[in-house]
Amino acid sequence: MASDSKGHEKTSEHDSDSSIHVLQLGVWRVFFVKEVALARWHRFKTVLPTVKQLTIDFSELAPVLFPLYSLAIIFLLVDGTILWHLFSRILLLVEIGLVEGRFDYVAIAFAVAARVAFAVLFTAVSCWSRKAECIVQNRIVHHVDGIMFEWKSNADLSVTEDYHNNHEELPSTHVWYAYRDLLTALGRALSIVGQLYYIATLVQTKKEALLHVFFFLGKPFTRHIFRHSLWEKSWIATSTDPNYNRMQSLNTIVSKPEYKQEIMTNGGTQYIIQEYRKARRLLGDACASYPAAQYSNQERIELRVLSELLGQLHMLYCLATAILSPSNFTFSRVVMFHNAGQMITAEFDAMLEDMNLVGNSLTSVTRMYDLAHTKNVLKDGHLVHSKLASNLGMALTMENVSFSYPGNKSDENALHDVSFSIRPGQLVVIVGANGCGKSTLVKLLTRLYDCDAGRVLVDGADIKTYKRESLHDATAVLTQDTHIYQLSLAENIGIGNPCAADDRMLIMEAARKGRADGFIEKCVEKYDTVIEPMVTNVMGAQCSETDDTPLTKIHQGFQKKSDVSGGERQRVAASRTFMRLTSDTVKLVVADEPSSNLDPEGEWELFKNLRDERQGRTMIFVSHRFGHLTKHADLILCMKNGRLIEKGTHDELMGKTENGEHGEYHKLYQIQARAFTEVL
């Protein structure tokens, strides 16, 4: 690849993938795909169903307002053509009057009145359309938000994770803007057609009309064909200049407080400054401007000159007409044609720009519609669990279960050939080191995922044959990932049992069992306190926190921050679980490392209160500090490297030996459980 004296590589090269082009622009290495016209047409064809769906949705949400608004948008975009036509009419009548020595005052007055009337009408329609747009946009935004909200609520965990990992959140307002841009492009196209039609009425032959069309469209059309723009391509860029990258790294160090503190206290400030100056000197004049701007500057000058020459052909044609056929020459026609050329060029450029935006926007909207109709990976069954539920609790069985998380690129499964049975009403403790598969067992037993091999049975039936909602109604799960929702503390707890979410007495009792009542009573608003305030969109000019202005104080009032500890969060989550246990439908209770932020005494009391709720329920506990639990357990499952290596009671596993050595559970108990009991 050739380079100039400043290091700007001027020729593109092909990547190993022949469809990828590579270009060095200053400090940037740009990778892009050239999109041919056929590909653009194919892209528009793929979004046509989306346009149809959007039109149907808009029409249903605003059956009267939306068609009127659409007509108003198109009407406003042809206003220039109508006003230009009326102005040209006035100009022509005045010129005829000057040539003939008498004026048609009635015709002139009518044309002036029509122009004034249309100007007033355009103003009125413009004011109305802005108000109508707010209503239509509001309805479609809430409609789209509702579709996505329900999809997110009902989607599988694996589908939701894939969405967050592989899709950028598309603001619902983009749906409206995409369709509005389409209406705008349509209006501009009609405006161009109207202008060309009016020009055709001013000439004497079809040949001359076609010639004027060529004059008016030649410049914008060729400019579009030869335009040098990255925005019409799919592209990415990365900075490859080591000096530029070093400058950015050094700038990051002095910008982030956590980095700057260490640099300052260790005397590294001057070193950072010297290194930045050195990198800047070595960078020289290598351009760091935005890649798209640099790419546009590479447009070939001869093509731009050709485009401009085409734009001047009309003037030359008018000059030739004046010389060769003076009787057909009028100044009013020259002015009209000149204005028409400028208007058509501007409208054509704007229309093509709108179409590019529409193509990209509607492609994103299409992905959103497709996503909203994505079916869950987990198929729903037909059995209702409550009809098979035992009064003693839920029976659980795994038969030769193996599992690997979706998207896992390693060959290692999270679980390997796991088999066990849990009888109704048993208290089970799952133990093992981090990453051994304890939490994965829980996720399969509660059907957040389906196993890859083997079977999971619930009360004797395959877990896949149950309706998932009925299974979730029968379970209460307390995990280590504790969250306080953007609701009041009372609602945070009450949501555990939606049927009794307004019962303040039950909520207070659940808070007592979860040991959250102490810190809740200290809050100013007690159970009505909102620890995590609801999302508030604050818009406007930025206010500096150091400014002492009324706006700054208001702005700071919106910036509420949570001041609860991790232990308090876990207490609220535990209280939510105890509220869940007020429901008679719960037959399985799972506590997966729910006490990582609690002290030993708090953890002991939490598990004691959970055990007190054992009547008629199967309980599964997962904990690192299990010394106080396993002595109460009917069954202990000991996991290691995704395999179930031991199972039995505490006494059985403590006495188990192999080749004269104690088993895995015995080792874990000696390391963890004894230390816990000594603290108590």
Side-chain angles (χ1 to χ4, degrees), residues 192-355:
I192 293 172
V193 171
Q195 292 166 25
L196 292 175
Y197 175 78
Y198 180 64
I199 289 296
T201 63
L202 298 178
V203 297
Q204 298 177 349
T205 65
K206 291 183 179 180
K207 182 178 180 181
E208 188 178 1
L210 292 174
L211 194 60
H212 281 287
V213 170
F214 171 75
F215 289 151
F216 292 142
L217 295 183
K219 177 180 177 180
F221 190 74
T222 55
R223 189 162 62 188
H224 174 72
I225 292 177
F226 299 126
R227 184 167 58 176
H228 226 55
S229 174
L230 271 181
W231 297 115
E232 295 180 355
K233 303 173 176 61
S234 297
W235 65 279
I236 58 173
T238 181
S239 56
T240 56
D241 191 294
N243 298 304
Y244 177 79
N245 290 341
R246 182 166 176 78
M247 288 170 60
Q248 301 308 306
S249 298
L250 293 171
N251 186 60
T252 300
I253 293 174
V254 299
S255 299
K256 291 190 175 182
E258 60 269 29
Y259 295 163
K260 186 174 181 180
Q261 175 180 331
E262 183 175 350
I263 291 295
M264 290 178 64
T265 54
N266 286 283
T269 302
Q270 290 304 314
Y271 173 80
I272 293 293
I273 293 174
Q274 291 172 5
E275 289 300 306
Y276 185 87
R277 291 173 177 170
K278 178 181 177 182
R280 175 67 188 89
R281 185 173 62 255
L282 293 174
L283 179 65
D285 292 330
C287 186
S289 299
Y290 198 63
Q294 294 190 60
Y295 189 79
S296 298
N297 292 336
Q298 291 195 331
E299 186 175 6
R300 294 172 60 182
I301 187 171
E302 61 270 23
L303 297 178
R304 187 61 184 259
V305 169
L306 173 63
S307 175
E308 290 300 324
L309 287 175
L310 288 174
Q312 301 302 317
L313 287 178
H314 183 263
M315 181 190 69
L316 297 176
Y317 177 80
C318 290
L319 180 61
T321 301
I323 296 174
L324 300 176
S325 182
S327 59
N328 294 329
F329 176 81
T330 63
F331 283 105
S332 60
R333 289 184 64 191
V334 173
V335 172
M336 285 186 287
F337 286 154
H338 175 72
N339 290 341
Q342 290 184 324
M343 291 175 60
I344 291 174
T345 298
E347 289 287 4
F348 193 88
D349 285 341
M351 182 190 70
L352 293 177
E353 194 66 34
D354 288 340
M355 292 306 294

Side-chain angles (χ1 to χ4, degrees), residues 506-559:
L506 280 179
I507 290 172
M508 294 175 68
E509 178 61 18
R512 184 191 65 78
K513 292 178 180 179
R515 297 189 68 194
D517 55 334
F519 94 87
I520 292 177
E521 290 295 334
K522 294 178 182 178
C523 296
V524 176
E525 298 179 76
K526 297 186 178 356
Y527 284 85
D528 294 321
T529 301
V530 179
I531 298 296
E532 298 287 354
M534 287 183 284
V535 175
T536 303
N537 292 319
V538 183
M539 299 182 182
Q542 292 184 345
C543 301
S544 172
E545 295 183 0
T546 59
D547 292 342
D548 186 16
T549 66
L551 277 180
T552 301
K553 293 178 181 178
I554 294 174
H555 182 264
Q556 291 172 346
F558 294 126
Q559 308 303 310

Side-chain angles (χ1 to χ4, degrees), residues 42-76:
H42 177 71
R43 182 175 64 177
F44 279 108
K45 284 180 60 178
T46 60
V47 300
L48 287 178
T50 301
V51 174
K52 179 181 178 181
Q53 184 62 53
L54 282 175
T55 305
I56 293 173
D57 288 347
F58 283 25
S59 300
E60 291 177 349
L61 292 167
V64 176
L65 199 59
F66 171 65
L68 291 177
Y69 172 78
S70 300
L71 291 175
I73 289 295
I74 295 174
F75 178 67
L76 291 173

Side-chain angles (χ1 to χ4, degrees), residues 583-644:
S583 171
D584 294 333
T585 63
V586 175
K587 298 299 178 182
L588 172 65
V589 180
V590 178
D592 183 9
E593 301 283 4
S595 54
S596 57
N597 288 312
L598 297 180
D599 55 68
E601 182 180 356
E603 181 182 46
W604 179 86
E605 186 169 349
L606 169 62
F607 283 117
K608 176 183 178 300
N609 290 340
L610 284 172
R611 292 200 310 272
D612 290 342
E613 303 289 333
R614 181 178 173 183
Q615 183 64 37
R617 298 183 175 104
T618 300
M619 289 197 165
I620 299 177
F621 293 152
V622 178
S623 176
H624 282 91
R625 300 180 294 199
F626 51 77
H628 60 299
L629 278 173
T630 51
K631 293 179 181 179
H632 302 280
D634 300 306
L635 176 65
I636 299 169
L637 303 176
C638 185
M639 301 290 297
K640 186 176 183 179
N641 297 329
R643 301 180 184 275
L644 177 61

